[in-house]
Amino acid sequence: MPTNDSYGQGIGLWALNDAPDIPGAIAALAAGTIPRGVLRFASASTRGATLTGDRAPVGGMLTWLQDVKRLDLYDGGQWVAISTGASLWTTISLASGFAHNGNNNGTLQYRLLNISGEDSIQFRGAVARASWPTTPEGNYVLNSTALPAAVRPQTLRTVTVPCSDASSDRIALKLDVQTNGFLNVFGTGAKVKPPWISLNGTIVSL
């Protein structure tokens, strides 16, 4: 019968005194090594549909999810994200009235992060506004197109973001990162018309 590998990983290797069976030897080697490598799946749902029954995940198994570019580890009870791929910065399309590079902070962009196994969205850059209505609304949506579903939070995330003190009685506004993918700033008004609003360094959990 097959013997175990010398690294103590429980991988079956065909022995010289076993009956010749090339397909069996290959199958034993594949069954022992494939689950210990990094398995590639199109998505978490595809992984869940594949790793069932005698192929159910075991502690220490690693998978790569291609849709979110993420490396996951099965800890014996659940899948835990341990890394995110090289997530590129993506420029946010701005709503009418707003422009990029407020206060020379650069283009408003986002990227997906993974911090201690938790997916998050990080922003950089700032928006500019050359003019405001005489009496501005109390809140404004910054983006003209919703963020993709993969970077929308599961619940509303509310944070504070800085703004210019020029033409403004405030130096910070409230930002809601909404579950529908829109960025809504609150606090503008007759005496709060800042020429720029910065999201630089803002991170919220997904």
Side-chain angles (χ1 to χ4, degrees), residues 108-182:
L108 183 60
Q109 298 178 312
Y110 72 87
R111 69 173 176 173
L112 180 67
L113 290 182
N114 187 274
I115 303 173
S116 299
E118 181 176 67
D119 285 336
S120 302
I121 183 173
Q122 180 184 29
F123 299 95
R124 72 177 180 184
V127 297
R129 180 129 189 170
S131 63
W132 294 85
T134 302
T135 304
E137 300 291 333
N139 65 287
Y140 284 85
V141 173
L142 298 180
N143 47 331
S144 61
T145 303
L147 300 177
V151 292
R152 297 178 190 176
Q154 296 180 18
T155 63
L156 180 69
R157 305 300 186 203
T158 300
V159 293
T160 301
V161 293
C163 66
S164 173
D165 60 357
S167 303
S168 176
D169 286 352
R170 305 177 56 162
I171 60 171
L173 301 173
K174 184 184 85 163
L175 170 69
D176 278 356
V177 183
Q178 301 176 163
T179 57
N180 62 2
F182 285 97

Coordinates of all heavy atoms in Angstrom, one line a residue, residues 108-182:
L108 N -9.5 62.1 -6.7 CA -10.2 61.2 -5.7 C -10.3 59.8 -6.3 O -10.9 59.6 -7.3 CB -11.6 61.8 -5.5 CG -12.4 61.1 -4.4 CD1 -11.7 61.1 -3.1 CD2 -13.8 61.7 -4.3
Q109 N -9.7 58.9 -5.5 CA -9.7 57.5 -5.9 C -9.9 56.5 -4.8 O -9.9 57.0 -3.6 CB -8.3 57.1 -6.5 CG -7.9 57.9 -7.8 CD -6.5 57.6 -8.3 OE1 -5.6 57.6 -7.5 NE2 -6.4 57.4 -9.6
Y110 N -10.2 55.3 -5.1 CA -10.4 54.3 -4.0 C -9.6 53.0 -4.4 O -9.3 52.8 -5.6 CB -11.9 53.9 -3.8 CG -12.4 53.1 -5.0 CD1 -12.4 51.7 -5.0 CD2 -13.1 53.7 -6.1 CE1 -12.9 51.0 -6.0 CE2 -13.6 53.0 -7.1 CZ -13.5 51.6 -7.1 OH -13.9 50.9 -8.1
R111 N -9.4 52.1 -3.4 CA -8.9 50.8 -3.7 C -9.3 49.9 -2.6 O -9.7 50.3 -1.5 CB -7.3 50.8 -3.7 CG -6.6 51.0 -2.4 CD -5.1 50.8 -2.6 NE -4.4 51.1 -1.4 CZ -3.1 50.9 -1.3 NH1 -2.4 50.4 -2.2 NH2 -2.5 51.2 -0.1
L112 N -9.3 48.6 -2.9 CA -9.7 47.6 -1.9 C -8.5 47.1 -1.1 O -7.5 46.9 -1.6 CB -10.3 46.3 -2.6 CG -10.8 45.2 -1.8 CD1 -12.0 45.6 -1.0 CD2 -11.1 44.0 -2.7
L113 N -8.7 47.1 0.3 CA -7.7 46.6 1.2 C -8.2 45.5 2.0 O -9.4 45.2 2.1 CB -7.3 47.8 2.2 CG -6.6 49.0 1.7 CD1 -6.3 49.9 2.9 CD2 -5.2 48.6 1.0
N114 N -7.2 44.7 2.5 CA -7.6 43.7 3.5 C -6.7 43.9 4.7 O -5.5 43.8 4.7 CB -7.4 42.3 2.9 CG -7.9 41.2 3.9 OD1 -7.2 40.8 4.8 ND2 -9.1 40.8 3.7
I115 N -7.4 44.2 5.9 CA -6.6 44.5 7.1 C -7.0 43.5 8.1 O -8.2 43.4 8.5 CB -7.0 45.9 7.6 CG1 -6.6 47.0 6.5 CG2 -6.2 46.2 8.9 CD1 -7.1 48.4 6.9
S116 N -6.1 42.7 8.6 CA -6.3 41.6 9.6 C -7.5 40.7 9.2 O -8.4 40.4 10.0 CB -6.5 42.3 10.9 OG -5.4 43.0 11.4
G117 N -7.6 40.4 7.9 CA -8.6 39.5 7.5 C -9.9 40.1 7.1 O -10.9 39.5 6.8
E118 N -10.0 41.5 7.2 CA -11.3 42.2 7.0 C -11.1 43.1 5.8 O -10.2 43.9 5.7 CB -11.7 43.0 8.2 CG -13.0 43.7 8.0 CD -13.4 44.5 9.3 OE1 -12.7 45.4 9.7 OE2 -14.4 44.1 9.8
D119 N -12.0 42.9 4.8 CA -12.0 43.8 3.6 C -12.4 45.2 4.0 O -13.3 45.5 4.8 CB -12.9 43.3 2.6 CG -12.4 42.1 1.9 OD1 -11.2 41.9 1.8 OD2 -13.2 41.3 1.3
S120 N -11.7 46.2 3.4 CA -11.9 47.6 3.7 C -11.7 48.4 2.4 O -11.1 47.9 1.4 CB -11.0 48.2 4.7 OG -11.1 47.5 6.0
I121 N -12.3 49.6 2.3 CA -12.0 50.5 1.2 C -11.3 51.7 1.7 O -11.5 52.2 2.7 CB -13.4 50.9 0.5 CG1 -13.1 51.7 -0.7 CG2 -14.3 51.6 1.5 CD1 -14.3 52.1 -1.5
Q122 N -10.2 52.0 0.9 CA -9.4 53.2 1.3 C -9.5 54.2 0.2 O -9.6 53.9 -1.0 CB -7.9 52.8 1.4 CG -7.0 53.9 1.7 CD -5.5 53.5 1.7 OE1 -5.1 52.5 1.0 NE2 -4.7 54.1 2.5
F123 N -9.6 55.5 0.6 CA -9.7 56.6 -0.3 C -8.4 57.5 -0.3 O -7.7 57.5 0.7 CB -10.9 57.5 0.0 CG -12.2 56.8 -0.1 CD1 -12.8 56.3 1.1 CD2 -12.9 56.7 -1.3 CE1 -14.0 55.6 1.0 CE2 -14.1 56.1 -1.3 CZ -14.7 55.5 -0.2
R124 N -8.1 58.1 -1.4 CA -7.1 59.1 -1.4 C -7.5 60.3 -2.4 O -8.4 60.1 -3.2 CB -5.7 58.6 -1.9 CG -5.6 58.2 -3.4 CD -4.2 57.8 -3.7 NE -4.1 57.4 -5.1 CZ -3.0 56.9 -5.7 NH1 -1.9 56.7 -4.9 NH2 -2.9 56.6 -7.0
G125 N -6.9 61.5 -2.2 CA -7.3 62.6 -3.0 C -8.4 63.5 -2.3 O -8.8 63.2 -1.2
A126 N -8.8 64.5 -3.1 CA -9.8 65.4 -2.5 C -10.6 66.0 -3.7 O -10.1 66.0 -4.9 CB -9.1 66.5 -1.7
V127 N -11.7 66.5 -3.4 CA -12.6 67.2 -4.4 C -12.5 68.7 -4.2 O -12.2 69.2 -3.1 CB -14.0 66.7 -4.3 CG1 -14.1 65.2 -4.7 CG2 -14.7 67.1 -3.0
A128 N -12.7 69.4 -5.3 CA -12.7 70.9 -5.2 C -14.1 71.4 -5.7 O -14.8 70.7 -6.5 CB -11.6 71.5 -6.2
R129 N -14.4 72.5 -5.2 CA -15.7 73.2 -5.7 C -15.4 74.6 -5.8 O -15.2 75.4 -4.9 CB -16.8 72.9 -4.7 CG -18.1 73.5 -5.1 CD -19.3 72.5 -5.1 NE -20.5 73.1 -5.7 CZ -21.5 72.4 -6.0 NH1 -21.6 71.1 -5.7 NH2 -22.6 72.9 -6.5
A130 N -15.6 75.1 -7.1 CA -15.2 76.5 -7.3 C -16.3 77.5 -6.9 O -16.1 78.6 -6.5 CB -15.0 76.7 -8.8
S131 N -17.6 77.0 -6.9 CA -18.7 77.9 -6.5 C -19.8 77.0 -5.9 O -19.9 75.8 -6.2 CB -19.2 78.7 -7.6 OG -19.8 77.8 -8.6
W132 N -20.5 77.6 -5.0 CA -21.7 77.0 -4.3 C -22.9 77.8 -4.5 O -22.8 79.0 -4.8 CB -21.4 76.8 -2.8 CG -20.3 75.9 -2.4 CD1 -19.0 76.2 -2.3 CD2 -20.4 74.5 -2.0 NE1 -18.3 75.1 -1.9 CE2 -19.1 74.1 -1.7 CE3 -21.5 73.7 -1.9 CZ2 -18.9 72.8 -1.3 CZ3 -21.3 72.4 -1.5 CH2 -20.0 71.9 -1.2
P133 N -24.1 77.2 -4.4 CA -25.3 78.0 -4.5 C -25.3 79.0 -3.3 O -24.6 78.8 -2.3 CB -26.4 77.0 -4.3 CG -25.8 75.7 -4.7 CD -24.4 75.8 -4.3
T134 N -26.1 80.0 -3.4 CA -26.2 81.0 -2.4 C -26.6 80.4 -1.1 O -26.0 80.7 0.0 CB -27.3 82.1 -2.7 OG1 -26.9 82.7 -4.0 CG2 -27.4 83.2 -1.6
T135 N -27.5 79.5 -1.1 CA -27.9 78.7 0.0 C -27.7 77.2 -0.3 O -28.7 76.6 -0.9 CB -29.4 79.0 0.5 OG1 -29.5 80.4 0.7 CG2 -29.7 78.2 1.8
P136 N -26.6 76.6 0.0 CA -26.4 75.2 -0.4 C -27.3 74.3 0.4 O -27.8 74.6 1.4 CB -24.9 75.0 0.1 CG -24.3 76.4 0.2 CD -25.4 77.2 0.6
E137 N -27.5 73.1 -0.2 CA -28.2 72.0 0.5 C -27.3 71.6 1.7 O -26.2 71.9 1.8 CB -28.4 70.8 -0.5 CG -29.2 71.2 -1.7 CD -30.7 71.5 -1.4 OE1 -31.2 70.9 -0.3 OE2 -31.3 72.2 -2.1
G138 N -28.0 70.9 2.6 CA -27.2 70.4 3.8 C -26.4 69.2 3.5 O -25.5 68.9 4.3
N139 N -26.5 68.6 2.3 CA -25.7 67.4 2.0 C -25.5 67.3 0.5 O -26.4 67.8 -0.3 CB -26.2 66.1 2.6 CG -27.6 65.7 2.0 OD1 -28.6 66.3 2.2 ND2 -27.5 64.7 1.1
Y140 N -24.4 66.7 0.0 CA -24.2 66.5 -1.4 C -23.5 65.2 -1.6 O -22.6 64.7 -0.9 CB -23.2 67.6 -1.9 CG -23.9 69.0 -2.1 CD1 -24.0 69.9 -1.0 CD2 -24.4 69.3 -3.3 CE1 -24.6 71.1 -1.2 CE2 -25.1 70.6 -3.5 CZ -25.2 71.4 -2.4 OH -25.8 72.7 -2.6
V141 N -24.0 64.5 -2.7 CA -23.3 63.3 -3.1 C -22.2 63.6 -4.0 O -22.3 64.4 -5.0 CB -24.3 62.4 -3.9 CG1 -23.6 61.2 -4.5 CG2 -25.5 61.9 -3.0
L142 N -21.0 63.0 -3.7 CA -19.8 63.4 -4.4 C -19.6 62.7 -5.8 O -19.0 63.2 -6.7 CB -18.5 63.1 -3.6 CG -18.4 63.9 -2.2 CD1 -17.2 63.5 -1.5 CD2 -18.4 65.4 -2.5
N143 N -20.1 61.4 -5.8 CA -19.8 60.6 -7.0 C -21.0 60.6 -7.9 O -22.2 60.5 -7.5 CB -19.3 59.2 -6.7 CG -20.1 58.5 -5.6 OD1 -20.7 59.1 -4.8 ND2 -20.1 57.2 -5.7
S144 N -20.8 60.6 -9.2 CA -21.8 60.5 -10.2 C -22.2 59.1 -10.5 O -23.3 58.8 -11.0 CB -21.4 61.2 -11.5 OG -20.3 60.6 -12.1
T145 N -21.3 58.1 -10.3 CA -21.5 56.7 -10.5 C -21.3 55.9 -9.2 O -20.3 56.2 -8.6 CB -20.6 56.2 -11.6 OG1 -20.8 56.9 -12.8 CG2 -20.9 54.7 -11.9
A146 N -22.1 55.0 -8.9 CA -22.0 54.2 -7.7 C -20.7 53.4 -7.7 O -20.3 52.9 -8.8 CB -23.2 53.3 -7.5
L147 N -20.1 53.2 -6.5 CA -18.9 52.3 -6.4 C -19.4 50.9 -6.7 O -20.5 50.5 -6.5 CB -18.4 52.4 -5.0 CG -17.9 53.8 -4.5 CD1 -17.4 53.7 -3.1 CD2 -16.7 54.3 -5.4
P148 N -18.5 50.1 -7.3 CA -18.8 48.7 -7.6 C -19.3 47.9 -6.3 O -18.9 48.3 -5.2 CB -17.5 48.1 -8.1 CG -16.8 49.3 -8.6 CD -17.1 50.4 -7.7
A149 N -20.1 46.9 -6.5 CA -20.7 46.1 -5.4 C -19.6 45.6 -4.5 O -19.8 45.5 -3.3 CB -21.6 45.0 -6.0
A150 N -18.4 45.2 -5.1 CA -17.4 44.6 -4.3 C -16.8 45.5 -3.3 O -16.1 45.0 -2.3 CB -16.3 44.1 -5.3
V151 N -16.9 46.8 -3.4 CA -16.4 47.8 -2.5 C -17.4 48.6 -1.8 O -17.1 49.7 -1.3 CB -15.3 48.7 -3.2 CG1 -14.1 47.9 -3.6 CG2 -15.9 49.4 -4.4
R152 N -18.6 48.1 -1.7 CA -19.7 48.8 -0.9 C -19.8 48.1 0.5 O -19.7 46.9 0.6 CB -21.0 48.6 -1.7 CG -21.1 49.3 -3.0 CD -22.4 49.1 -3.7 NE -22.4 49.5 -5.1 CZ -23.4 49.3 -5.9 NH1 -24.6 48.8 -5.5 NH2 -23.3 49.7 -7.2
P153 N -19.9 48.9 1.5 CA -20.0 48.4 2.8 C -21.4 47.7 3.1 O -22.4 47.9 2.4 CB -19.9 49.6 3.7 CG -20.4 50.7 2.9 CD -20.0 50.4 1.5
Q154 N -21.3 46.7 4.0 CA -22.6 46.0 4.3 C -23.6 46.8 5.1 O -24.8 46.6 4.9 CB -22.2 44.7 5.1 CG -21.3 43.8 4.4 CD -21.0 42.5 5.2 OE1 -21.6 42.2 6.2 NE2 -19.9 41.8 4.8
T155 N -23.1 47.8 5.8 CA -24.0 48.7 6.5 C -23.4 50.1 6.3 O -22.2 50.3 5.9 CB -24.1 48.4 8.0 OG1 -22.8 48.6 8.6 CG2 -24.6 47.0 8.3
L156 N -24.2 51.1 6.6 CA -23.7 52.5 6.5 C -22.4 52.7 7.3 O -22.3 52.3 8.5 CB -24.8 53.5 7.0 CG -24.5 55.0 6.9 CD1 -24.4 55.4 5.4 CD2 -25.5 55.8 7.6
R157 N -21.4 53.4 6.7 CA -20.2 53.8 7.4 C -20.1 55.3 7.5 O -20.1 56.0 6.4 CB -19.0 53.2 6.7 CG -19.0 51.7 6.5 CD -19.1 50.9 7.8 NE -19.0 49.5 7.5 CZ -19.4 48.5 8.3 NH1 -20.0 48.9 9.4 NH2 -19.3 47.3 8.0
T158 N -20.1 55.9 8.7 CA -20.0 57.3 8.9 C -18.7 57.7 9.4 O -18.3 57.2 10.5 CB -21.2 57.8 9.8 OG1 -22.4 57.4 9.2 CG2 -21.1 59.3 10.0
V159 N -18.0 58.6 8.8 CA -16.7 59.1 9.3 C -16.6 60.6 9.1 O -17.5 61.2 8.4 CB -15.5 58.5 8.5 CG1 -15.4 57.0 8.8 CG2 -15.7 58.7 7.0
T160 N -15.6 61.2 9.7 CA -15.4 62.7 9.6 C -14.3 62.9 8.6 O -13.2 62.2 8.6 CB -15.0 63.2 10.9 OG1 -16.0 63.0 11.9 CG2 -14.7 64.7 10.8
V161 N -14.5 63.9 7.7 CA -13.4 64.2 6.7 C -13.2 65.7 6.8 O -14.1 66.5 7.1 CB -13.9 63.9 5.3 CG1 -14.0 62.3 5.1 CG2 -15.2 64.5 4.9
P162 N -11.9 66.2 6.6 CA -11.6 67.6 6.7 C -12.0 68.4 5.5 O -12.2 67.8 4.4 CB -10.0 67.6 6.8 CG -9.6 66.3 6.0 CD -10.7 65.3 6.3
C163 N -12.2 69.7 5.7 CA -12.5 70.6 4.6 C -11.8 71.9 4.9 O -11.3 72.1 6.0 CB -14.0 70.8 4.4 SG -14.8 71.7 5.8
S164 N -11.8 72.7 3.9 CA -11.1 74.0 4.0 C -11.8 74.9 5.0 O -13.1 74.9 5.1 CB -11.1 74.7 2.6 OG -10.6 76.1 2.8
D165 N -11.1 75.7 5.8 CA -11.7 76.7 6.7 C -12.0 78.0 5.9 O -12.7 78.9 6.5 CB -10.9 76.9 7.9 CG -9.5 77.5 7.6 OD1 -9.2 77.6 6.5 OD2 -8.8 77.8 8.6
A166 N -11.5 78.1 4.7 CA -11.9 79.3 3.9 C -13.3 79.2 3.5 O -13.8 78.1 3.0 CB -11.0 79.4 2.7
S167 N -14.1 80.3 3.6 CA -15.5 80.3 3.3 C -16.3 79.2 4.0 O -17.3 78.7 3.5 CB -15.7 80.1 1.7 OG -15.0 81.1 1.0
S168 N -15.8 78.8 5.2 CA -16.5 77.8 5.9 C -16.3 78.0 7.4 O -15.2 78.3 7.9 CB -16.0 76.4 5.5 OG -16.5 75.4 6.3
D169 N -17.4 77.9 8.2 CA -17.4 78.0 9.6 C -17.0 76.6 10.2 O -16.8 76.5 11.4 CB -18.7 78.4 10.2 CG -19.0 79.9 10.0 OD1 -18.1 80.6 9.5 OD2 -20.2 80.3 10.2
R170 N -16.8 75.6 9.4 CA -16.4 74.3 9.9 C -15.1 73.9 9.2 O -14.8 74.3 8.1 CB -17.5 73.3 9.6 CG -18.8 73.6 10.1 CD -19.9 72.6 9.7 NE -19.5 71.3 10.2 CZ -20.4 70.3 10.2 NH1 -21.7 70.5 10.0 NH2 -20.0 69.1 10.6
I171 N -14.3 73.0 9.8 CA -13.1 72.5 9.2 C -13.3 71.0 8.9 O -12.3 70.3 8.6 CB -11.9 72.8 10.0 CG1 -12.0 72.1 11.4 CG2 -11.6 74.2 10.1 CD1 -10.7 72.2 12.2
A172 N -14.5 70.4 9.2 CA -14.7 69.0 9.0 C -16.2 68.8 8.6 O -17.1 69.6 9.1 CB -14.4 68.2 10.2
L173 N -16.4 67.8 7.8 CA -17.8 67.4 7.4 C -18.0 66.0 7.7 O -17.1 65.2 8.0 CB -18.0 67.7 5.9 CG -17.8 69.1 5.4 CD1 -17.9 69.1 3.9 CD2 -18.9 70.0 6.0
K174 N -19.3 65.5 7.7 CA -19.6 64.1 7.9 C -19.7 63.5 6.6 O -20.3 64.0 5.6 CB -20.9 64.0 8.7 CG -21.3 62.5 9.0 CD -22.6 62.4 9.6 CE -23.7 62.3 8.5 NZ -25.0 61.8 9.0
L175 N -19.0 62.3 6.4 CA -19.1 61.5 5.2 C -19.8 60.2 5.5 O -19.4 59.5 6.4 CB -17.7 61.3 4.6 CG -17.6 60.2 3.5 CD1 -18.3 60.8 2.2 CD2 -16.2 59.8 3.2
D176 N -20.8 59.9 4.7 CA -21.5 58.6 4.7 C -21.1 57.8 3.5 O -21.3 58.3 2.4 CB -23.0 58.8 4.7 CG -23.6 59.1 6.1 OD1 -22.8 59.1 7.1 OD2 -24.8 59.3 6.2
V177 N -20.4 56.7 3.8 CA -20.1 55.7 2.7 C -21.3 54.8 2.7 O -21.5 53.9 3.6 CB -18.8 55.0 2.9 CG1 -18.5 54.1 1.7 CG2 -17.7 56.0 3.1
Q178 N -22.2 54.9 1.7 CA -23.5 54.3 1.8 C -23.5 52.9 1.1 O -22.6 52.6 0.3 CB -24.6 55.1 1.0 CG -24.7 56.5 1.7 CD -25.6 57.4 0.9 OE1 -26.1 58.4 1.5 NE2 -26.0 57.1 -0.3
T179 N -24.4 52.0 1.5 CA -24.5 50.7 1.0 C -24.8 50.6 -0.5 O -24.6 49.6 -1.1 CB -25.5 49.9 1.8 OG1 -26.8 50.5 1.7 CG2 -25.1 49.7 3.3
N180 N -25.3 51.7 -1.0 CA -25.6 51.7 -2.5 C -24.5 52.2 -3.3 O -24.6 52.4 -4.5 CB -26.9 52.6 -2.7 CG -26.7 54.1 -2.3 OD1 -25.6 54.5 -1.9 ND2 -27.7 54.9 -2.5
G181 N -23.3 52.5 -2.7 CA -22.1 52.9 -3.4 C -21.9 54.3 -3.6 O -21.0 54.8 -4.3
F182 N -22.7 55.2 -2.9 CA -22.6 56.6 -3.1 C -21.9 57.2 -1.8 O -22.1 56.8 -0.7 CB -23.9 57.3 -3.4 CG -24.4 57.0 -4.8 CD1 -25.3 56.0 -5.1 CD2 -23.8 57.8 -5.9 CE1 -25.7 55.8 -6.4 CE2 -24.2 57.6 -7.2 CZ -25.1 56.6 -7.5

